[in-house]
Amino acid sequence: MLEHGGRLRGAVQKYGIDEADWLDLSSGISPWSWPIPAIPTQAWARLPETDDGLEAAACAYYGAPDVLPVAGSQAAIQALPRLRQAGKVGVLSPCYAEHAEAWRSSGFLVREVLEHEVERFIDSLDVLVVVNPNNPTGLSLTPERLLDWHARLAQRGAWLVVDEAFMDNTPDASLAAHSQRPGLIVLRSFGKFFGLAGVRLGFVLAESRFLKVLARQIGPWSVSGPTRILGQACLADVEGHRLQRERTAQASQRLVELLSRHGLTPHGGCALFQWLVTPLAAELHEFCARRGILLRIFLHNSSLRFGLPREEADWQRLELALSEFAGGAHDH
């Protein structure tokens, strides 16, 4: 299994600090979770129905013509390779590692490409995978550029897969409205923006014919009845969306300022995290972990991802650790 953020139990054992005493900034999940609506007993007792309004709520929220709910966008990431014959896949990197892993383990030839290399390789690819905004770098590509890439791929029956897991704060940059175009597949994650990652809900936005094929591959009842009710309530809460966009954007900006004050100016980020490349990544990760602050480390490029603190006390705790680190409390 690949490494992910949010592995708090491992840190509890390694550093001997109780779970309740950690400040977990290792995932890009909003620290403000949506309130859970009352779930009627019926939702637990019966098999889920697909005409309960969840799809309609998702179409309205995303601005998409058609959607398929899945058990987290991870479920779609793993199913997509089963819908194509072997071929060449380009993954815009560095990004969420499960994309390359899914295609590679299904026998595809995977090339991880940098942004400026896409032009060179695009006409030889059967699939191009882009995470937008990117995780962990925060790189955001314009819809125009992505649609241009899509048009070139679609001419040859190739696909553009766009993972928009962190798009909720910037819906104007989404390709959701274009997702009926053949060969364009947009993935949306529910858990990150709504702060409910444990729910395991995501959506695939694509042309109806493609979604029917994907639904057959994933199988019936992949999203539980209680999850469908919860998802629908959250997606319909327009006032809640406004508040969440506001407070996550403010917290993200505050995080940029905090890191910059301590000589750790981020190299990228989005509304739910900031990304820092530094030769001191491993030291800073260890330094914070010993103080019960969990960050997400990427060893291959010596970088760290910081999620958003929630409470004032969390901000002060992070501020103190960074001050001590900058003050030379670590060993060079």
Side-chain angles (χ1 to χ4, degrees):
M1 298 288 275
L2 297 181
E3 279 270 336
H4 295 286
R7 297 179 56 170
L8 192 53
R9 298 261 162 87
V12 166
Q13 288 167 352
K14 182 174 179 183
Y15 295 97
I17 298 171
D18 286 348
E19 191 169 332
D21 296 332
W22 281 87
L23 169 56
D24 184 5
L25 303 179
S26 70
S27 72
I29 298 160
S30 169
W32 294 281
S33 301
W34 238 256
I36 308 293
I39 307 284
T41 308
Q42 199 76 322
W44 300 100
R46 296 179 49 164
L47 281 171
E49 308 262 5
T50 54
D51 55 0
D52 58 3
L54 175 63
E55 284 82 355
C59 286
Y61 175 76
Y62 294 120
D66 206 357
V67 303
L68 175 70
V70 289
S73 48
Q74 181 62 36
I77 290 169
Q78 292 187 217
L80 287 176
R82 300 202 293 268
L83 300 184
R84 277 199 85 98
Q85 302 303 311
K88 289 185 188 159
V89 178
V91 178
L92 193 61
S93 295
C95 76
Y96 181 62
E98 294 284 355
H99 285 289
E101 174 70 13
W103 292 98
R104 207 173 266 135
S105 61
S106 293
F108 288 78
L109 182 66
V110 175
R111 180 189 281 273
E112 301 196 30
V113 296
L114 298 170
E115 183 192 1
H116 67 269
E117 295 176 321
V118 172
E119 288 298 322
R120 191 187 334 159
F121 294 110
I122 191 167
D123 295 323
S124 66
L125 298 175
D126 298 292
V127 180
L128 173 61
V129 180
V130 177
V131 182
N132 193 46
N134 189 32
N135 169 24
T137 67
L139 173 71
S140 288
L141 300 171
T142 64
E144 294 73 28
R145 191 155 176 217
L146 290 168
L147 289 172
D148 177 54
W149 288 350
H150 167 257
R152 286 171 65 179
L153 291 158
Q155 281 172 350
R156 301 180 291 105
W159 290 353
L160 175 64
V161 178
V162 185
D163 179 349
E164 295 186 345
F166 291 95
M167 187 60 84
D168 296 65
N169 277 71
T170 51
D172 292 349
S174 172
L175 293 187
H178 305 279
S179 57
Q180 78 286 7
R181 298 185 186 190
L184 178 59
I185 299 149
V186 178
L187 309 179
R188 295 297 294 250
S189 169
F190 172 83
K192 296 174 180 67
F193 177 75
F194 290 94
L196 295 170
V199 165
R200 305 311 307 131
L201 177 61
F203 295 89
V204 184
L205 286 43
E207 61 171 334
S208 307
R209 196 177 48 173
F210 176 84
L211 292 179
K212 286 190 176 72
V213 176
L214 180 60
R216 279 201 295 275
Q217 182 62 243
I218 285 176
W221 312 301
S222 69
V223 175
S224 74
T227 294
R228 293 182 63 93
I229 285 176
L230 169 64
Q232 192 175 334
C234 294
L235 292 168
D237 180 10
V238 177
E239 181 51 33
H241 306 156
R242 189 194 58 72
L243 171 64
Q244 189 77 320
R245 286 191 183 113
E246 212 168 81
R247 63 187 170 189
T248 50
Q250 282 171 356
S252 186
Q253 187 51 41
R254 182 175 176 182
L255 186 54
V256 172
E257 290 160 11
L258 172 59
L259 290 166
S260 302
R261 270 204 307 283
H262 294 94
L264 303 167
T265 305
H267 291 72
C270 67
L272 292 179
F273 61 80
Q274 290 297 326
W275 181 61
L276 168 70
V277 184
T278 168
L280 300 175
E283 279 182 63
L284 179 52
H285 179 268
E286 179 70 17
F287 185 88
C288 286
R290 278 193 250 122
R291 285 155 182 76
I293 300 172
L294 188 59
L295 306 175
R296 174 78 162 97
I297 187 158
F298 300 90
L299 291 169
H300 65 279
N301 56 14
S302 190
S303 67
L304 291 165
R305 190 184 64 197
F306 291 74
L308 306 179
R310 178 190 159 113
E311 311 290 347
E312 200 51 46
D314 300 338
W315 286 102
Q316 286 166 11
R317 190 170 164 189
L318 179 60
E319 170 105 54
L320 180 63
L322 295 178
S323 297
E324 289 176 351
F325 186 79
H330 59 297
D331 309 316
H332 275 296

